[in-house]
Amino acid sequence: MVEIFKASNENLDQLTELALALWSNNEKQDLIKSDLIYIIGHLSNRVLLAKSDEDYIGFIHMSIRNGFVEGADTSPVGYVEGIYVKPDFRRKGVAKELYHAGLEWLRSKKCTQIGADIGIDSNMCPDFYLDIGFKEANRIICYINNI
């Protein structure tokens, strides 16, 4: 059985390890100090953890955005900032449980739409979002050039 609960300072180490698996280009101390401590304490963010027995197996970070969200026609809009489940626990409904728990929070904050995005190099399957009811809003390709 999987337990879903709100992240806190007490499980910051476990959250950090999961977040580093998702956002591997970050440095551990930077992720903790500049991002995760702020996020778990900020009212427009919610981080939920999934735990199986004593093993932390996944998380979702949702936020409330008040500005432009691609494809949205309301404001504020909930947003999936990140979702991760350890490989051994994938395709077992854990991500969906995390998502649905996050939806409850967004609804309590009067959000009527939720957005998400994945990078072109992401290892996350876009079918996950389609399977839980999202529709593709747009595709963009971004470029950068050092000058």
Side-chain angles (χ1 to χ4, degrees):
M1 180 164 166
V2 174
E3 178 186 2
I4 307 292
F5 54 93
K6 183 180 174 189
S8 68
N9 287 331
E10 286 77 41
N11 41 48
L12 186 60
D13 289 339
Q14 294 88 349
L15 173 59
T16 301
E17 293 306 315
L18 294 167
L20 284 170
L22 178 61
W23 298 306
S24 58
N25 59 333
N26 286 278
E27 294 293 325
K28 183 175 183 175
Q29 288 306 313
D30 292 340
L31 188 62
I32 293 171
K33 289 180 183 171
S34 65
D35 293 329
L36 295 177
I37 290 173
Y38 172 80
I39 289 167
I40 62 176
H42 196 270
L43 295 176
S44 65
N45 288 274
R46 178 64 51 106
V47 178
L48 300 169
L49 287 163
K51 189 175 179 183
S52 177
D53 296 321
E54 294 303 312
D55 192 16
Y56 287 81
I57 61 172
F59 80 97
I60 189 167
H61 169 205
M62 291 189 158
S63 70
I64 298 173
R65 293 186 177 186
N66 289 301
F68 176 77
V69 172
E70 191 73 48
D73 54 13
T74 64
S75 185
V77 177
Y79 210 83
V80 179
E81 300 292 348
I83 185 167
Y84 175 79
V85 175
K86 286 183 175 179
D88 290 349
F89 294 91
R90 292 179 185 162
R91 302 208 178 273
K92 296 180 179 178
V94 176
K96 285 182 183 178
E97 285 187 55
L98 285 163
Y99 173 74
H100 287 292
L103 275 184
E104 289 179 33
W105 174 71
L106 290 173
R107 286 184 181 123
S108 77
K109 300 295 184 183
K110 309 297 185 223
C111 293
T112 59
Q113 291 185 297
I114 183 169
D117 63 72
I118 59 172
I120 198 162
D121 60 347
S122 173
N123 61 4
M124 183 171 189
C125 179
D127 291 341
F128 169 75
Y129 285 112
L130 297 174
D131 289 347
I132 59 174
F134 281 81
K135 65 180 175 87
E136 189 173 307
N138 195 7
R139 286 189 183 222
I140 61 171
I141 299 174
C142 301
Y143 297 94
I144 191 78
N145 188 5
N146 294 325
I147 55 171

